[in-house]
Amino acid sequence: MERCPECHRWEPAGVLGCARCAGIVDEIVEEGWRAFLESEFGTAEPPDERLIAEMVTEEPDKHPWRVVDAAYDRLTCAECGGKLSRGPAGCGPCDLANGFRYSAIEIDRPGVAPGNEHALRVNVSVARRPSGISAPEVLVRCLTLPILLAGRLPTHAQAQAVKSLATRGATEAELVAAVHGDDGTAA
Ligand SMILES: [Zn+2]
Ligand SMILES: [Zn+2]
């Protein structure tokens, strides 16, 4: 894991306020999108990308989650005008899309703990669309991203401990210590 030179958190835990960290999180789905385009269309820059995005979101259960999330980024919500699926909680089309996205496929990356890819997917999704989710939960999910990207997975007990700390109003520093283990090395 590396420190972000902009926000000094473990990359990309600063996703909510730091443009550099947010870019790294976006890149998680963007790299999946480029790989999909290259394998299906032979180029990462096809002329009708938006049409392809529409096709993907019509069948989210046939594609990996990164591809589906990136496809939604390319579509505009008719109601809130933002990227489809990422508008405020309560926006009908975005709420629907945010539910559909979870029917997409998830495949554990080689060498990661089983369930890591699922945790990464949920945390990336929440970090990119925090509306409607409690502030402590959003913070914990963002702070956990560096560990998940490194291929590790907090145990259930660790996750519960961090969650209860967060709901009791622990500071970010306390949460970081809990997420990474008290000695500062990643748990
Ligand atoms: Zn940062
Ligand atoms: Zn919307």
Side-chain angles (χ1 to χ4, degrees):
M1 297 190 301
E2 287 179 29
R3 291 279 183 187
C4 170
E6 301 291 326
C7 70
H8 307 293
R9 293 177 177 88
W10 293 112
E11 273 175 2
V15 51
L16 292 185
C18 168
R20 182 185 158 84
C21 285
I24 291 169
V25 174
D26 285 339
E27 180 60 19
I28 294 170
V29 302
E30 286 300 312
E31 69 181 2
W33 179 251
R34 288 195 302 272
F36 164 73
L37 292 180
E38 268 161 19
S39 76
E40 296 294 315
F41 304 96
T43 168
E45 292 178 355
D48 45 2
E49 208 185 39
R50 195 176 179 283
L51 198 67
I52 295 168
E54 279 173 5
M55 282 162 39
V56 165
T57 58
E58 276 162 21
E59 296 185 315
D61 56 325
K62 294 200 166 48
H63 300 280
W65 71 270
R66 295 162 197 254
V67 175
V68 173
D69 279 13
Y72 278 125
D73 279 347
R74 285 162 171 78
L75 302 177
T76 303
C77 174
E79 198 164 310
C80 71
K83 290 177 176 176
L84 187 58
S85 84
R86 293 178 67 183
C91 172
C94 282
D95 283 346
L96 264 182
N98 191 46
F100 285 148
R101 79 161 88 234
Y102 281 101
S103 62
I105 300 165
E106 64 193 35
I107 305 159
D108 279 315
R109 310 187 303 294
V112 305
N116 173 292
E117 184 73 7
H118 176 72
L120 181 64
R121 165 201 208 162
V122 176
N123 288 18
V124 164
S125 165
V126 169
R128 289 181 2 113
R129 204 253 187 167
S131 178
I133 297 175
S134 78
E137 179 177 346
V138 172
L139 180 59
V140 167
R141 290 193 181 279
C142 292
L143 294 178
T144 310
L145 280 171
I147 288 178
L148 297 175
L149 282 176
R152 289 185 294 269
L153 191 64
T155 64
H156 184 67
Q158 284 168 333
Q160 285 302 112
V162 171
K163 197 175 162 192
S164 96
L165 264 177
T167 47
R168 292 205 306 270
T171 64
E172 182 175 329
E174 290 168 330
L175 290 175
V176 169
V179 165
H180 292 267
D182 287 333
D183 60 356
T185 60

